Amino acid sequence: MADILIVAEHADDKLKRYSTELAGKAAELAGACGGLVTAVLFGEKREAAAMELGRFGVKKVFLPEHADLASCSGENCSKVLCDLVAKEKPAFVFATASTFGRDLMARSAMRLRTGLASDCVAVSVEGGRAKLRRPVFGGKAVAEVAIDGSPQMATLRPNLFPVPAPASNEPELVPFAAEPGPVRARVAGTSDAESGMVDLAEADRIVSGGRAVGSAENFTMIKDLAAALRASVGASRAAVDAGFISHDHQVGQTGKTVNPTLYVACGISGAIQHLAGMRTSKVVVAINRDPEAPIFSKADYGIVGDIFKVVPALTRAVRRLLSE
Ligand code: FAD
């Protein structure tokens, strides 16, 4: 049977939004090919998140238990995932292309000697074979990928699929004693991102600033527009390298891959490495004083103008509209 095992993620026992999307998509695919969806959930204190998975079509949730798994890393979870795959024999293993998902799945595919399609933007299953689409060459082309080997493994970008309407189903919870194997690196601690801000990878709206913003103080202008739009704050690498904002805000090839409904690029030229991280955004608004800036070729709406005039004016307009 073509069962699908997904790697779900949570923070403080709250299921990540992208895991609900993944569960919903897996349930749709499994329904079409007569299989079941199961999930594995790492970390501590995850019972509520595990139960939540049932509402999105997951029938069984595996809960590996070991003191070393309290803080998850791709390294310590990989052997556990591979042991689970060897026992349960799912036809497919899917995870989100999050930092954890990418790390875990690459290590696990190597251990399992099977193929992995990473950072995919579409998935279907035909005749027991997954058909996956993934951007290549910095997003300039899309490759269609099929996987040799078993299980067929893939990571999928967040924000691709709608969050399904939750049902009232309860999954079977399967705690088990796991054997993580030796690790060479441990997570010493984690810290929260700025309070109230959604992680970029999950954000539905993003306002990003580039080199043109000019300073960390001026980033307040970007943050104000983001707050008005209830968006998260992104940045180009030039802005990060200049110290205007921390690296966890960087969008692009060496930053985060985002897939929001709305992406507002302020004073960003649109270098290929930046586009690689945001080109699948649904609606792109670009503000740049150079009408020839490459970002305009990817923009649905372009404003040729000075960000120091346009961004505050937009913020005022958004606040006014939302208060009406
Ligand atoms: P610039 O290219 O300098 O563009 C600034 C823009 O602001 C210009 O278009 C200008 O017209 C406009 N502007 C200036 N003043 C104003 C104003 N007052 N009002 C309106 N517009 C104004 N980059 C990333 O972003 N993310 C990555 O992950 C990334 N990874 C990389 C990996 C590698 C291996 C390499 C080689 C490069 C990478 N880069 C990445 C860097 C990338 O090539 C660009 O250098 C970078 O994206 C440029 O950032 P920017 O658009 O903010 O700056």
Side-chain angles (χ1 to χ4, degrees), residues 6 33 38 55 81 110 113 131 135 169 195 219 228 241 250 266 287:
I6 64 162
C33 54
T38 60
R55 306 177 66 206
L81 177 63
M110 194 276 290
R113 297 280 185 267
K131 219 161 82 178
N169 306 336
S195 64
F219 243 87
D241 286 353
Q250 184 178 316
C266 310
I287 307 162

Side-chain angles (χ1 to χ4, degrees), residues 209-212 235-239 250-255 266-274 287-290 293 305-308:
R211 192 197 308 270
S236 70
R237 175 161 158 182
Q250 184 178 316
V251 172
Q253 189 179 310
T254 43
C266 310
I268 292 177
S269 59
I272 186 163
Q273 296 89 355
H274 188 80
I287 307 162
N288 197 303
R289 68 180 179 193
D290 174 8
D306 185 340
I307 51 167
F308 294 98

